[in-house]
Amino acid sequence: MTRGRAAGPPLTISDIHAVVGIRLARHDYRYTHSRRRLVDVIAAAGQPVTLPDIVEAAPELAQSSVYRNLDVLERSGVVDRIASSGDHAHFEFAEPLLSHHHHLICMDCGAIEDVQLDDDVEELVDRSLAEVASRAGFTPRRHSLDLHGSCADCD
Amino acid sequence: MTRGRAAGPPLTISDIHAVVGIRLARHDYRYTHSRRRLVDVIAAAGQPVTLPDIVEAAPELAQSSVYRNLDVLERSGVVDRIASSGDHAHFEFAEPLLSHHHHLICMDCGAIEDVQLDDDVEELVDRSLAEVASRAGFTPRRHSLDLHGSCADCD
DNA sequence: CTCAGTGCAAAGGATTTGCATGCCG
DNA sequence: CGGCATGCAAATCCTTTGCACTGAG
């Protein structure tokens, strides 16, 4: 399993638009104004965002179109949906737009923060998971490793 | 962070009821007939269950009461809710009623299977997570490590 | 021109809640 | 007895969808 984008200088917003454009085209989707705007908002946030976050940052975007375009972006491999129990789902760029990372999920306020682990930990986890997966006849696609607890604000 | 219940003989249904009773009492909840029945169903399943699974196995339980009681059991630390993107949430016993484990989540059919990892992997992961958590002022409660992919049936 | 994309409003579906009744302690 | 627990139905809330219109290629 790959480690996503190698650590290095963060992608510029132009880089991001370029990659997104390619991925959308590959799936026969157009890179429209609304979709660019949506990508801008996600990039500006720098952390996983919810739908309310997005429409607050860009009120000119219709809620239904945002949901539809998040779906398009997800199908195109541009964003990942992070399922949170209960309220709104969170969305963030998928690898390799974002390097491989994990989440600190606050059980009180629902905030989600990105964190990275050492490569040797990731490798060990991947090997371990690959082993149990093959034992179960399961084809691994990606793993998620989240820490649930209380964030600095809620503690 | 603890590893949950040490590996060993599985708890009997009586053990489970005893533990659940204690935990409910500790939170000033009663261990009623409906709640026992609900615990029986979860125990019998042996894998994470959804609300439809539960009411199918025990049609005499009212859907709303099952939701309410799952909430009570969750607050009491008896069950964990596993958020799956999209459809129904899955529920299973929390530690230490179930030993520490992780999930193989099928992205096609939504099925969730429990798996265990080697202790040395768990320890390394815990240490790593504890480190990034403290760096972020985050108080860890528990971690989840899930593998997303295609199960044997859907592949 | 043509078809994907958009906006609005309404539908869908999982989960929650109000309220009257039942049952545990 | 007194209050928590239950059942039914209606309400909520996030998300999806139908449909007519707009805009990109």
Side-chain angles (χ1 to χ4, degrees), chain B residues 22-81:
Chain B
I22 291 170
R23 295 204 168 193
L24 286 176
R26 189 178 296 158
H27 292 260
D28 292 318
Y29 290 124
R30 296 175 187 164
Y31 201 11
T32 63
H33 175 72
S34 294
R35 290 175 183 166
R36 276 176 195 278
R37 187 81 186 87
L38 176 52
V39 166
D40 280 334
V41 170
I42 297 171
Q47 286 289 316
V49 289
T50 64
L51 187 110
D53 294 336
I54 293 168
V55 294
E56 186 187 9
E60 75 273 20
L61 298 179
Q63 160 174 287
S64 62
S65 296
V66 172
Y67 273 120
R68 260 190 285 237
N69 285 329
L70 285 171
D71 185 61
V72 165
L73 292 176
E74 192 180 11
R75 291 174 192 279
S76 308
V78 171
V79 305
D80 280 336
R81 174 191 302 242

Coordinates of all heavy atoms in Angstrom, one line a residue, chain B residues 22-81:
Chain B
I22 N -24.1 -4.0 35.9 CA -23.3 -3.1 36.7 C -23.1 -1.8 36.1 O -23.2 -0.7 36.7 CB -21.9 -3.8 37.0 CG1 -22.1 -5.0 37.9 CG2 -21.0 -2.8 37.6 CD1 -20.9 -5.9 38.0
R23 N -22.8 -1.8 34.8 CA -22.5 -0.5 34.1 C -23.8 0.3 34.0 O -23.7 1.6 34.1 CB -22.0 -0.8 32.7 CG -20.7 -1.5 32.7 CD -19.9 -1.3 31.5 NE -18.5 -1.7 31.7 CZ -17.5 -1.4 31.0 NH1 -17.7 -0.7 29.9 NH2 -16.3 -1.8 31.2
L24 N -24.9 -0.3 33.8 CA -26.2 0.5 33.7 C -26.5 1.1 35.1 O -26.8 2.3 35.2 CB -27.3 -0.4 33.3 CG -27.4 -0.8 31.8 CD1 -28.5 -1.7 31.5 CD2 -27.5 0.5 30.9
A25 N -26.3 0.3 36.1 CA -26.6 0.7 37.5 C -25.7 1.9 37.8 O -26.1 2.9 38.4 CB -26.4 -0.4 38.5
R26 N -24.5 1.8 37.4 CA -23.5 2.9 37.7 C -23.9 4.2 37.1 O -23.6 5.3 37.5 CB -22.1 2.4 37.1 CG -21.0 3.3 37.5 CD -19.7 2.8 36.9 NE -19.3 1.5 37.5 CZ -18.5 0.6 36.8 NH1 -18.0 0.9 35.7 NH2 -18.3 -0.6 37.4
H27 N -24.8 4.1 36.0 CA -25.3 5.3 35.4 C -26.7 5.6 35.7 O -27.4 6.3 35.0 CB -25.1 5.2 33.9 CG -23.6 5.3 33.5 ND1 -23.0 6.4 33.0 CD2 -22.7 4.3 33.5 CE1 -21.7 6.1 32.7 NE2 -21.5 4.9 33.0
D28 N -27.2 4.9 36.8 CA -28.6 5.0 37.2 C -29.6 4.7 36.1 O -30.7 5.3 36.0 CB -28.9 6.5 37.7 CG -28.1 6.8 39.0 OD1 -28.1 5.9 39.9 OD2 -27.5 7.8 39.1
Y29 N -29.3 3.6 35.4 CA -30.3 3.1 34.4 C -30.7 1.8 34.9 O -30.0 1.0 35.5 CB -29.6 2.9 33.0 CG -29.3 4.2 32.3 CD1 -28.0 4.5 31.9 CD2 -30.3 5.2 32.0 CE1 -27.7 5.7 31.2 CE2 -30.0 6.4 31.4 CZ -28.7 6.6 30.9 OH -28.4 7.8 30.3
R30 N -31.9 1.4 34.5 CA -32.4 0.1 35.0 C -32.1 -0.9 33.9 O -32.1 -0.6 32.7 CB -34.0 0.2 35.1 CG -34.4 1.1 36.2 CD -35.9 1.2 36.2 NE -36.4 2.2 37.1 CZ -37.6 2.7 37.1 NH1 -38.5 2.3 36.2 NH2 -37.9 3.6 38.0
Y31 N -31.9 -2.2 34.3 CA -31.7 -3.2 33.4 C -33.0 -3.9 33.1 O -33.3 -5.0 33.7 CB -30.6 -4.2 33.9 CG -30.0 -5.0 32.8 CD1 -30.2 -4.7 31.4 CD2 -29.2 -6.1 33.1 CE1 -29.6 -5.4 30.4 CE2 -28.5 -6.8 32.1 CZ -28.8 -6.5 30.8 OH -28.2 -7.2 29.8
T32 N -33.8 -3.4 32.2 CA -35.1 -3.9 32.0 C -35.1 -5.1 31.0 O -34.1 -5.4 30.4 CB -36.0 -2.8 31.3 OG1 -35.4 -2.5 30.1 CG2 -36.0 -1.6 32.2
H33 N -36.3 -5.6 30.9 CA -36.5 -6.8 30.0 C -36.1 -6.4 28.6 O -35.3 -7.2 27.9 CB -38.0 -7.2 30.0 CG -38.3 -8.3 29.0 ND1 -37.8 -9.6 29.2 CD2 -38.9 -8.3 27.8 CE1 -38.2 -10.3 28.1 NE2 -38.9 -9.5 27.3
S34 N -36.5 -5.3 28.1 CA -36.2 -4.9 26.7 C -34.6 -4.7 26.5 O -34.1 -5.1 25.5 CB -36.8 -3.5 26.4 OG -38.2 -3.6 26.3
R35 N -34.0 -4.2 27.5 CA -32.6 -4.0 27.4 C -31.8 -5.3 27.5 O -30.8 -5.5 26.8 CB -32.1 -3.0 28.5 CG -32.6 -1.6 28.3 CD -32.3 -0.6 29.4 NE -32.9 0.7 29.0 CZ -33.1 1.7 29.8 NH1 -32.7 1.6 31.1 NH2 -33.6 2.8 29.4
R36 N -32.3 -6.3 28.3 CA -31.7 -7.6 28.3 C -31.8 -8.2 26.9 O -30.9 -8.8 26.4 CB -32.4 -8.5 29.3 CG -31.9 -8.3 30.7 CD -32.7 -9.2 31.7 NE -32.4 -8.7 33.0 CZ -31.3 -9.1 33.7 NH1 -30.5 -10.0 33.2 NH2 -31.1 -8.6 34.9
R37 N -33.0 -8.1 26.4 CA -33.3 -8.7 25.0 C -32.3 -8.1 24.0 O -31.8 -8.8 23.2 CB -34.8 -8.4 24.7 CG -35.2 -9.1 23.4 CD -35.6 -10.5 23.7 NE -35.9 -11.2 22.4 CZ -35.0 -11.8 21.6 NH1 -33.8 -11.8 22.0 NH2 -35.4 -12.4 20.5
L38 N -32.2 -6.8 24.1 CA -31.3 -6.1 23.1 C -29.9 -6.6 23.3 O -29.2 -6.9 22.3 CB -31.4 -4.6 23.4 CG -30.5 -3.7 22.6 CD1 -30.6 -3.9 21.1 CD2 -30.8 -2.2 23.0
V39 N -29.4 -6.8 24.5 CA -28.1 -7.3 24.8 C -28.0 -8.7 24.2 O -26.9 -9.1 23.7 CB -27.7 -7.2 26.3 CG1 -26.5 -8.1 26.6 CG2 -27.5 -5.8 26.7
D40 N -29.0 -9.5 24.4 CA -29.0 -10.9 23.9 C -28.8 -10.9 22.4 O -28.0 -11.7 21.9 CB -30.3 -11.6 24.2 CG -30.4 -12.1 25.7 OD1 -29.3 -12.4 26.2 OD2 -31.5 -12.2 26.2
V41 N -29.5 -10.0 21.7 CA -29.4 -10.0 20.3 C -28.0 -9.6 19.8 O -27.4 -10.2 18.9 CB -30.4 -9.0 19.7 CG1 -30.2 -8.8 18.2 CG2 -31.8 -9.5 19.9
I42 N -27.4 -8.6 20.5 CA -26.1 -8.2 20.1 C -25.1 -9.3 20.4 O -24.2 -9.6 19.5 CB -25.7 -6.9 20.8 CG1 -26.6 -5.7 20.4 CG2 -24.2 -6.5 20.6 CD1 -26.5 -4.5 21.3
A43 N -25.3 -10.0 21.5 CA -24.3 -11.0 21.8 C -24.5 -12.2 20.8 O -23.5 -12.8 20.4 CB -24.6 -11.5 23.3
A44 N -25.7 -12.5 20.5 CA -25.9 -13.6 19.6 C -25.3 -13.4 18.2 O -24.8 -14.3 17.5 CB -27.4 -13.9 19.4
A45 N -25.4 -12.1 17.8 CA -24.9 -11.7 16.4 C -23.4 -12.0 16.3 O -22.9 -12.6 15.3 CB -25.1 -10.3 16.1
G46 N -22.6 -11.7 17.4 CA -21.2 -11.9 17.3 C -20.4 -11.0 16.4 O -19.2 -11.2 16.2
Q47 N -21.1 -10.1 15.7 CA -20.5 -9.2 14.8 C -21.3 -7.9 14.9 O -22.4 -7.9 15.5 CB -20.6 -9.7 13.3 CG -19.6 -10.8 13.0 CD -18.2 -10.3 13.0 OE1 -17.9 -9.3 12.4 NE2 -17.3 -11.1 13.6
P48 N -20.8 -6.8 14.5 CA -21.5 -5.5 14.6 C -22.9 -5.6 13.9 O -23.0 -6.1 12.8 CB -20.6 -4.5 13.9 CG -19.2 -5.1 14.0 CD -19.4 -6.6 14.0
V49 N -23.9 -5.1 14.5 CA -25.3 -5.2 14.0 C -25.8 -3.8 13.7 O -25.5 -2.8 14.4 CB -26.2 -5.9 14.9 CG1 -25.9 -7.4 14.9 CG2 -26.2 -5.3 16.3
T50 N -26.8 -3.7 12.8 CA -27.5 -2.5 12.5 C -28.9 -2.5 13.2 O -29.3 -3.6 13.6 CB -27.7 -2.3 11.0 OG1 -28.5 -3.3 10.5 CG2 -26.4 -2.3 10.3
L51 N -29.6 -1.4 13.2 CA -30.9 -1.4 13.7 C -31.8 -2.4 13.0 O -32.5 -3.2 13.7 CB -31.5 0.0 13.7 CG -32.8 -0.1 14.5 CD1 -32.7 0.6 15.8 CD2 -34.0 0.3 13.7
P52 N -31.8 -2.4 11.7 CA -32.7 -3.4 11.0 C -32.3 -4.9 11.5 O -33.2 -5.7 11.6 CB -32.4 -3.2 9.6 CG -32.0 -1.8 9.5 CD -31.3 -1.5 10.8
D53 N -31.1 -5.1 11.6 CA -30.7 -6.5 12.1 C -31.4 -6.8 13.4 O -31.9 -7.9 13.6 CB -29.1 -6.5 12.3 CG -28.3 -6.4 11.0 OD1 -28.9 -6.7 10.0 OD2 -27.2 -6.0 11.1
I54 N -31.3 -5.8 14.3 CA -31.9 -6.0 15.6 C -33.4 -6.2 15.6 O -33.9 -7.2 16.2 CB -31.5 -4.8 16.5 CG1 -30.0 -4.7 16.8 CG2 -32.2 -4.9 17.9 CD1 -29.5 -3.5 17.4
V55 N -34.1 -5.4 15.0 CA -35.6 -5.5 15.0 C -36.0 -6.8 14.2 O -37.1 -7.3 14.4 CB -36.3 -4.3 14.4 CG1 -36.1 -3.1 15.4 CG2 -35.8 -4.0 13.0
E56 N -35.1 -7.2 13.3 CA -35.5 -8.4 12.6 C -35.3 -9.6 13.5 O -36.1 -10.6 13.5 CB -34.6 -8.6 11.3 CG -34.9 -9.8 10.5 CD -33.9 -10.1 9.4 OE1 -32.8 -9.4 9.4 OE2 -34.2 -10.9 8.5
A57 N -34.3 -9.6 14.3 CA -34.0 -10.7 15.2 C -35.0 -10.7 16.4 O -35.2 -11.7 17.0 CB -32.6 -10.6 15.8
A58 N -35.5 -9.5 16.7 CA -36.4 -9.3 17.9 C -37.5 -8.4 17.5 O -37.5 -7.2 18.0 CB -35.6 -8.9 19.1
P59 N -38.5 -8.8 16.7 CA -39.5 -7.9 16.2 C -40.4 -7.3 17.3 O -41.1 -6.4 17.1 CB -40.4 -8.9 15.3 CG -39.5 -10.1 15.1 CD -38.7 -10.2 16.3
E60 N -40.3 -8.0 18.5 CA -41.2 -7.4 19.6 C -40.6 -6.1 20.2 O -41.3 -5.4 20.9 CB -41.3 -8.5 20.7 CG -40.0 -8.7 21.6 CD -39.1 -9.7 21.0 OE1 -39.2 -9.9 19.7 OE2 -38.2 -10.2 21.7
L61 N -39.4 -5.8 19.8 CA -38.8 -4.5 20.3 C -39.2 -3.4 19.3 O -39.0 -3.5 18.1 CB -37.3 -4.7 20.3 CG -36.7 -5.7 21.3 CD1 -35.2 -5.8 21.2 CD2 -37.2 -5.5 22.7
A62 N -39.7 -2.3 19.9 CA -40.0 -1.2 19.1 C -38.8 -0.4 18.7 O -37.8 -0.3 19.4 CB -40.9 -0.2 19.9
Q63 N -38.8 0.0 17.4 CA -37.6 0.6 16.8 C -37.1 1.8 17.6 O -36.0 1.9 17.9 CB -38.0 1.1 15.4 CG -37.1 2.2 14.9 CD -37.4 2.5 13.4 OE1 -37.1 1.7 12.5 NE2 -38.0 3.6 13.2
S64 N -38.1 2.6 18.1 CA -37.7 3.8 18.8 C -37.0 3.5 20.1 O -36.1 4.1 20.6 CB -38.8 4.8 19.0 OG -39.8 4.1 19.8
S65 N -37.5 2.4 20.8 CA -37.0 2.0 22.0 C -35.6 1.4 21.8 O -34.7 1.6 22.7 CB -37.9 1.0 22.7 OG -39.1 1.5 23.0
V66 N -35.4 0.7 20.7 CA -34.1 0.1 20.4 C -33.1 1.3 20.3 O -32.0 1.2 20.8 CB -34.1 -0.8 19.2 CG1 -32.7 -1.2 18.8 CG2 -35.0 -2.0 19.4
Y67 N -33.5 2.3 19.5 CA -32.6 3.4 19.4 C -32.3 4.0 20.7 O -31.1 4.4 21.1 CB -33.2 4.5 18.4 CG -32.9 4.3 17.0 CD1 -33.9 4.1 16.1 CD2 -31.6 4.2 16.5 CE1 -33.6 3.9 14.7 CE2 -31.3 4.1 15.1 CZ -32.3 3.9 14.3 OH -32.1 3.7 12.9
R68 N -33.3 4.2 21.5 CA -33.1 4.9 22.8 C -32.2 4.0 23.7 O -31.4 4.5 24.4 CB -34.5 5.1 23.5 CG -35.0 6.5 23.4 CD -36.2 6.8 24.3 NE -37.4 6.2 23.7 CZ -38.5 6.9 23.4 NH1 -38.5 8.2 23.6 NH2 -39.5 6.3 22.9
N69 N -32.4 2.7 23.6 CA -31.7 1.8 24.5 C -30.2 1.7 24.0 O -29.3 1.5 24.8 CB -32.4 0.5 24.7 CG -33.6 0.6 25.6 OD1 -33.5 1.5 26.5 ND2 -34.6 -0.2 25.4
L70 N -30.0 1.7 22.7 CA -28.6 1.7 22.2 C -27.9 2.9 22.7 O -26.8 2.9 23.1 CB -28.6 1.7 20.7 CG -29.0 0.3 20.1 CD1 -29.2 0.4 18.6 CD2 -27.9 -0.7 20.4
D71 N -28.7 4.0 22.8 CA -28.1 5.3 23.3 C -27.7 5.1 24.7 O -26.6 5.5 25.2 CB -29.1 6.4 23.1 CG -28.5 7.8 23.5 OD1 -27.5 8.1 22.9 OD2 -29.0 8.4 24.4
V72 N -28.6 4.5 25.5 CA -28.4 4.3 26.9 C -27.2 3.4 27.1 O -26.3 3.6 27.9 CB -29.6 3.6 27.6 CG1 -29.3 3.0 28.9 CG2 -30.7 4.7 27.7
L73 N -27.1 2.3 26.3 CA -26.0 1.4 26.4 C -24.7 2.0 26.0 O -23.6 1.8 26.6 CB -26.2 0.1 25.5 CG -27.4 -0.8 26.0 CD1 -27.6 -1.9 25.0 CD2 -27.1 -1.4 27.4
E74 N -24.8 2.9 25.0 CA -23.6 3.6 24.6 C -23.1 4.6 25.7 O -21.9 4.6 26.0 CB -23.8 4.4 23.3 CG -22.5 4.9 22.7 CD -22.8 5.7 21.4 OE1 -24.0 6.1 21.1 OE2 -21.8 6.0 20.7
R75 N -24.0 5.3 26.3 CA -23.6 6.2 27.4 C -23.0 5.5 28.6 O -22.2 6.0 29.3 CB -24.9 7.0 27.9 CG -25.4 8.0 26.9 CD -26.7 8.6 27.5 NE -27.4 9.4 26.5 CZ -27.1 10.6 26.2 NH1 -26.1 11.2 26.8 NH2 -27.8 11.2 25.2
S76 N -23.5 4.2 28.7 CA -23.0 3.4 29.9 C -21.8 2.7 29.6 O -21.2 2.0 30.4 CB -24.1 2.4 30.3 OG -25.4 3.1 30.5
G77 N -21.3 2.9 28.3 CA -20.0 2.2 28.0 C -20.2 0.7 27.7 O -19.2 0.0 27.7
V78 N -21.4 0.3 27.3 CA -21.7 -1.1 27.0 C -21.5 -1.4 25.5 O -21.0 -2.4 25.1 CB -23.1 -1.5 27.5 CG1 -23.4 -2.9 27.0 CG2 -23.2 -1.4 29.0
V79 N -21.9 -0.4 24.7 CA -21.8 -0.6 23.3 C -21.0 0.6 22.6 O -21.0 1.7 23.2 CB -23.1 -0.9 22.5 CG1 -23.9 -2.0 23.1 CG2 -23.9 0.4 22.5
D80 N -20.4 0.3 21.5 CA -19.8 1.3 20.7 C -20.6 1.5 19.4 O -21.1 0.5 18.9 CB -18.4 1.0 20.3 CG -17.4 1.3 21.4 OD1 -17.7 2.1 22.3 OD2 -16.3 0.6 21.5
R81 N -20.8 2.7 18.9 CA -21.4 2.9 17.7 C -20.3 3.1 16.6 O -19.4 3.9 16.8 CB -22.2 4.2 17.7 CG -22.8 4.7 16.4 CD -23.4 6.1 16.5 NE -24.4 6.1 17.6 CZ -25.7 6.5 17.4 NH1 -26.1 6.7 16.2 NH2 -26.5 6.5 18.4

